C-alpha cells in the first residue's frame, strides 16, 4: 500500500506476515498543511506473492506538530518578589526597569541590590528553557527574557507560550497575556495571536518563580518561512525582501 499526499508518495505499508500480526508504526516526517488539513491517500499497489488476499487495517493516526522554538534569548534577573513581605502583592505585577525599556547594555540592582546583567542563552533542542542555572537565587524571584522577530510586512501570526511559574507576555511593549496560577511548564499552554509590524518586533517574557521549577517554552508559527527570529536582531537578508 502506497501512502500519498497531493500525488506525492510519502510512505509505504508492507503488510504481509505469515500469521495475524500487528505491522507496527509507520512514521511520515515533515508533512505540511497549507490549507489547515492533511489528506492521506492509501493506494493498494499490489501484494506479496505469498499473500492470499488484499486485507489491511489501520488502527489509528497520531499527528505530532513539528515545533520550531524561538532560538535564543537574553535573560536578566533575579529581581525581588515583594510577596515575601506583602503576600497580596504579586511579584509578577511589580514593574522593574527591563519592563519599561530593554537595554542590553544596562546592569540593574536585583535581589539584595546585587547588580544583574543581561545573559545570553540558546534554546535547547526540546524547547525547554530552564532558568535555574542562569538566575540565582531562583526562588521568590522575577526575571525577564527577550527576543526579536523581523517581518517583511504586517501580518498576524500564532504565538505559543508555556511556563513554570507566573508569566506575563509583552509584544512590542504591550501586555498580551497574564497567568498567575501554579503549573509545570509544558509546550503550548497558551495560544496567542500577535500582529507583527514590518521590521523588528520585540517579544518580552516576565516570569515569576516562588519555588521549584523555573522555566518556559516559546515558539511562533511561520508557515511562509519569511520571519527572522533571534535575540541579537541579526537580519536574514532573504527575509527582508
Amino acid at each position: 500500500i502506497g501512502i500519498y499526499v497531493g500525488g506525492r508518495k510519502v510512505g509505504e505499508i508492507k503488510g504481509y506476515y505469515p500469521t495475524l500480526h500487528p505491522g507496527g508504526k509507520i512514521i511520515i516526517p515533515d508533512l505540511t498543511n497549507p490549507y489547515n488539513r492533511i489528506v492521506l491517500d492509501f493506494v493498494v499497489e499490489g501484494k506479496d506473492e505469498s499473500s492470499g488476499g488484499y486485507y489491511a487495517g489501520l488502527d489509528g493516526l497520531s499527528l505530532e506538530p513539528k515545533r520550531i522554538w524561538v532560538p535564543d534569548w537574553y535573560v536578566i534577573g533575579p529581581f525581588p518578589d515583594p510577596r515575601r513581605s506583602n503576600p497580596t502583592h504579586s511579584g509578577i505585577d511589580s514593574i522593574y526597569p527591563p519592563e519599561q525599556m530593554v537595554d542590553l547594555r544596562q546592569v540593574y540592582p536585583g535581589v539584595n541590590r546585587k547588580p544583574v546583567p543581561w545573559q545570553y542563552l540558546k534554546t535547547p533542542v526540546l524547547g525547554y528553557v530552564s532558568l535555574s542555572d542562569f538566575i540565582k537565587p531562583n526562588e521568590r524571584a522575577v526575571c525577564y527574557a527577550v527576543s526579536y522577530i523581523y517581518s517583511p510586512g504586517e501580518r498576524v501570526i500564532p504565538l505559543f507560550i508555556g511556563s513554570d511559574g507566573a508569566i506575563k507576555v509583552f509584544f512590542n511593549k504591550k501586555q498580551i497575556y497574564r497567568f498567575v496560577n501554579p503549573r509545570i511548564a509544558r509546550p503550548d499552554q497558551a495560544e496567542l495571536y500577535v500582529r507583527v509590524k514590518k521590521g523588528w518586533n520585540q517579544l518580552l517574557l516576565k516570569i515569576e518563580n516562588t519555588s521549584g521549577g523555573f522555566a518556559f517554552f516559546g515558539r511562533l508559527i511561520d508557515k511562509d518561512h519569511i520571519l527572522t527570529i533571534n535575540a541579537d536582531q541579526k537580519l536574514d537578508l532573504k527575509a527582508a525582501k
Side-chain angles (χ1 to χ4, degrees):
I1 298 177
I3 307 174
Y4 293 83
V5 173
R8 178 174 64 93
K9 191 171 186 177
V10 295
E12 187 175 57
I13 299 174
K14 294 183 178 180
Y16 174 72
Y17 201 79
T19 61
L20 186 63
H21 180 79
K25 181 188 293 185
I26 297 172
I27 298 176
I28 305 173
D30 300 329
L31 293 181
T32 59
N33 59 337
Y35 304 106
N36 292 321
R37 65 173 187 163
I38 299 174
V39 178
L40 299 176
D41 293 317
F42 294 84
V43 181
V44 176
E45 298 177 326
K47 69 180 183 67
D48 190 281
E49 61 181 16
S50 301
S51 175
Y54 288 90
Y55 298 104
L58 184 64
D59 292 325
L61 293 172
S62 175
L63 297 178
E64 299 181 10
K66 182 178 180 181
R67 295 182 172 100
I68 307 299
W69 310 105
V70 174
D72 55 0
W73 303 83
Y74 280 99
V75 299
I76 190 170
F79 295 97
D81 183 348
R83 287 190 298 178
R84 184 186 297 273
S85 57
N86 181 358
T88 64
H89 186 188
S90 173
I92 199 70
D93 292 323
S94 298
I95 298 176
Y96 299 102
E99 194 169 328
Q100 299 171 313
M101 183 180 69
V102 172
D103 185 344
L104 300 177
R105 300 166 297 181
Q106 289 294 325
V107 176
Y108 302 106
V111 171
N112 298 325
R113 306 296 297 177
K114 181 180 178 181
V116 290
W118 289 92
Q119 303 178 72
Y120 175 83
L121 63 84
K122 290 186 69 67
T123 301
V125 173
L126 297 180
Y128 182 82
V129 181
S130 175
L131 296 165
S132 298
D133 294 335
F134 293 87
I135 307 299
K136 295 182 182 298
N138 50 47
E139 294 194 350
R140 294 195 176 277
V142 176
C143 83
Y144 293 86
V146 68
S147 196
Y148 294 88
I149 301 98
Y150 181 90
S151 175
E154 185 177 302
R155 63 185 55 228
V156 176
I157 59 174
L159 167 65
F160 296 88
I161 296 294
S163 68
D164 194 327
I167 187 171
K168 281 185 176 181
V169 179
F170 301 86
F171 195 78
N172 288 333
K173 301 183 180 181
K174 179 181 179 181
Q175 180 181 316
I176 60 172
Y177 179 67
R178 179 180 184 270
F179 182 87
V180 296
N181 296 324
R183 66 181 176 188
I184 296 174
R186 297 282 187 268
D188 307 349
Q189 288 171 316
E191 180 179 354
L192 312 171
Y193 289 86
V194 296
R195 181 175 296 277
V196 296
K197 64 184 180 181
K198 181 178 180 180
W200 287 105
N201 298 261
Q202 184 189 87
L203 173 60
L204 179 69
L205 310 183
K206 180 182 184 181
I207 306 105
E208 175 194 30
N209 184 47
T210 54
S211 62
F214 195 13
F216 68 90
F217 290 90
R219 72 181 182 103
L220 300 162
I221 292 182
D222 178 20
K223 286 188 175 182
D224 298 324
H225 306 289
I226 62 169
L227 302 178
T228 298
I229 307 170
N230 61 70
D232 285 315
Q233 301 185 66
K234 293 180 179 179
L235 183 60
D236 181 350
L237 295 180
K238 293 184 294 183
K241 294 180 180 180

